[in-house]
Amino acid sequence: MRLAELVTAIAIALLSIYLMWKSGEGPSWDPTAERFANIGINIDGRGPGSGFWPFWLSAAMLLSSLAVVVNWARRRTKPSRSDKPYLDYEGKIILAQIGGGLFVFLGLIHFLGYYGAIFLFLVYSIYFLGRHNWRLTLAVSIAVPVFCFFFFDIAMRIVLPKGYLEPLFLPLYDIFL
């Protein structure tokens, strides 16, 4: 498990660096000015570009993975002190439960849309895997899709897939758009 923690942290750090670089790209004849504008650095008076959120979220992911490496080196976490194999039987079961849930989530997006699928995935993750009570499960499982709807569809005007639930969203579009 010690090696697995280090390898995973390094892989996530490299992915973060790649995503930070890609988030700065954008359509422009002047790639330098566009790159900095996309990540929120104002060179010519414009506001942040399309890469603002991806860049800073990737930067946070990079810092988190570096913190994991530091904790690994100091042996502060349980996996960093473990001599167990990379994936024992219990780890394989957990991986199958989470991975299976993610594949079902992705499949449900076509039928229930993003918001219906994320609701069911959160119920599955919080109640069945996390073994939390129904009050917390429903509070989080309802709040996250509602927040995502207002953030993406209303504020950012990024329409996420609705699937067969789309007629439920039409009155909301009439109200907010």
Side-chain angles (χ1 to χ4, degrees):
M1 290 301 291
R2 180 168 163 73
L3 180 62
E5 184 177 42
L6 179 64
V7 168
T8 303
I10 290 171
I12 291 173
L14 292 173
L15 176 66
S16 301
I17 292 168
Y18 171 76
L19 292 173
M20 289 169 69
W21 179 260
K22 292 299 283 183
S23 67
E25 293 180 355
S28 175
W29 60 271
D30 182 7
T32 306
E34 186 68 25
R35 177 170 299 283
F36 288 117
N38 277 342
I39 62 172
I41 299 172
N42 242 339
I43 291 178
D44 57 359
R46 294 183 304 170
S50 60
F52 178 79
W53 282 109
F55 177 84
W56 292 108
L57 290 174
S58 298
M61 192 167 72
L62 175 62
L63 291 176
S64 298
S65 62
L66 293 176
V68 170
V69 171
V70 168
N71 286 334
W72 175 88
R74 294 181 178 177
R75 293 182 178 250
R76 286 188 173 173
T77 62
K78 188 175 177 181
S80 68
R81 294 186 301 269
S82 175
D83 293 329
K84 289 184 178 182
Y86 184 72
L87 263 181
D88 57 0
Y89 179 74
E90 182 180 326
K92 290 177 184 175
I93 295 295
I94 293 170
L95 182 64
Q97 289 174 331
I98 295 170
L102 284 172
F103 277 112
V104 170
F105 162 70
L106 291 173
L108 285 175
I109 289 176
H110 176 71
F111 299 103
L112 299 178
Y114 173 78
Y115 303 111
I118 195 69
F119 171 80
L120 291 178
F121 177 73
L122 288 171
V123 168
Y124 167 74
S125 298
I126 297 170
Y127 184 76
F128 294 103
L129 296 182
R131 304 196 189 285
H132 293 281
N133 62 42
W134 275 111
R135 194 167 84 191
L136 174 69
T137 300
L138 291 177
V140 172
S141 299
I142 292 170
V144 168
V146 168
F147 172 80
C148 288
F149 172 77
F150 282 105
F151 182 75
F152 288 108
D153 281 57
I154 304 301
M156 302 286 290
R157 299 200 190 268
I158 299 171
V159 179
L160 296 177
K162 308 286 186 299
Y164 294 116
L165 298 178
E166 186 163 12
L168 299 175
F169 291 90
L170 296 178
L172 293 172
Y173 284 130
D174 291 339
I175 293 171
F176 294 107
L177 296 179

